[in-house]
Amino acid sequence: MSKTPPKSEYLLLSRGQWDRDKSPQEIQAVIDDFYVWYEQLVAQGQFKPGQRLAMGGKLVSRAGVTDGPYAEAKEIIGGYWFIVATSLQEAAAIAAHNPCLACGLTFEVRPIEQERASAFRPANETPSHSG
């Protein structure tokens, strides 16, 4: 008897901007396709709801609060959702069917870390000591 691997959540970040050469009608058709795709995956339990992000924001650092975020167009985060899958590879395969890829957006898929942060365990925030 084979055991089904446990499912985990993966963060899906929508990055970039629409292709400049696409018409509003072409982009709207892709957006409409996205919502059909997305709602099917939510109904199947492969997606959990996320949100689009509004324009603007603030950047908070030890230097204070400033307007932002400021990023290159390819780095702009337009929204986030959650994929439910058995592996990072499966989550990426699901994201690869996102209709918005056709109009220039890219998607970053990241595993959700279940453990609390620790200064004694390497993590995304740990500086690299290569040199």
Side-chain angles (χ1 to χ4, degrees):
M1 174 165 79
S2 67
K3 185 177 179 183
T4 303
K7 293 198 174 201
S8 299
E9 290 185 17
Y10 297 85
L11 178 64
L12 177 69
L13 295 172
S14 173
R15 292 186 172 273
Q17 295 181 318
W18 302 116
D19 289 335
R20 292 183 185 270
D21 65 339
K22 301 291 184 194
S23 71
Q25 293 80 8
E26 289 173 296
I27 293 168
Q28 187 60 53
V30 166
I31 291 169
D32 294 342
D33 290 345
F34 165 80
Y35 283 111
V36 169
W37 175 78
Y38 163 74
E39 289 165 3
Q40 288 174 342
L41 291 174
V42 169
Q44 295 168 3
Q46 292 184 287
F47 249 60
K48 287 190 174 181
Q51 298 289 325
R52 290 184 58 248
L53 298 175
M55 294 176 67
K58 297 288 182 185
L59 181 62
V60 180
S61 70
R62 66 175 130 193
V65 179
T66 58
D67 288 336
Y70 298 109
E72 292 183 39
K74 67 181 180 177
E75 296 173 346
I76 291 172
I77 298 174
Y80 67 95
W81 292 268
F82 298 93
I83 297 175
V84 179
T86 59
S87 68
L88 178 56
Q89 291 72 24
E90 181 186 3
I94 291 169
H97 292 286
N98 190 317
C100 296
L101 289 166
C103 285
L105 298 187
T106 60
F107 297 93
E108 181 178 347
V109 181
R110 302 283 302 271
I112 303 293
E113 177 65 59
Q114 298 300 319
E115 297 182 40
R116 292 178 71 157
S118 169
F120 301 100
R121 186 171 28 87
N124 290 313
E125 301 87 357
T126 305
S128 111
H129 293 289
S130 61

